[in-house]
Amino acid sequence: VPALEQEAENATISQGVVESNHAGFSGTGFVNYDNVIGSSVEYTINADSGGEHDLTFRYANGTTIDRPVSVTLDGAGAQTVSFPGTGAWTTWQTRTLKVTLHAGSNKIKATATTANGGPNADKLTAVLTGPADNEAP
Ligand code: GCU
């Protein structure tokens, strides 16, 4: 099963900046969310097939306080994902949730829900885990 992914630094960023001062990221950097409610990163995943996918967010949080975000698909179906401390800004971990994607372009937006903003965001990877659904909508 092919993994589909997008680097956070190539996603659509609102209230955040691309940085590269903490080692261990993939690609050319990571997104440092502004420390405000509502800062966001919107990823585009072009799925080969519709169906249930594991969405895996790679992140770092050098604090001891969770940085939860609200994740939507094409603006709907909000699910909260917790990003607890990883011990250091150079220690990168992953959090995964299941989402049913559709074939083609899927907009996955991760929006900070606390005044601390989101964690430092490295990339999003999607892997099909259920049966492929290629029926026309
Ligand atoms: C530090 C760290 C940043 C991080 C920020 C934060 O400034 O260097 O990479 O984004 O804390 O708390 O959000």
Side-chain angles (χ1 to χ4, degrees), residues 49-129:
S49 304
E52 186 181 85
H53 286 69
D54 275 347
L55 294 186
T56 297
F57 294 84
R58 189 165 190 264
Y59 80 102
N61 176 358
T63 76
T64 56
I65 300 169
D66 187 17
R67 299 241 178 141
V69 306
S70 174
V71 175
T72 56
L73 170 62
D74 296 335
Q79 298 187 56
T80 297
V81 181
S82 175
F83 291 102
T86 57
W89 291 109
T90 49
T91 300
W92 300 83
Q93 295 181 358
T94 59
R95 301 287 288 179
T96 299
L97 81 161
K98 289 193 181 295
V99 173
T100 300
L101 301 183
H102 51 83
S105 173
N106 295 263
K107 300 285 186 186
I108 296 151
K109 189 171 185 180
T111 304
T113 61
T114 73
N116 289 323
N120 285 353
D122 184 29
K123 66 176 173 180
L124 175 64
T125 304
V127 177
L128 182 68
T129 56

Side-chain angles (χ1 to χ4, degrees), residues 19 21-22 30-35 61 63 67 89 116 118-120:
E19 294 181 342
N21 58 325
H22 299 299
F30 56 85
V31 172
N32 171 350
Y33 279 77
D34 288 357
N35 301 116
N61 176 358
T63 76
R67 299 241 178 141
W89 291 109
N116 289 323
N120 285 353

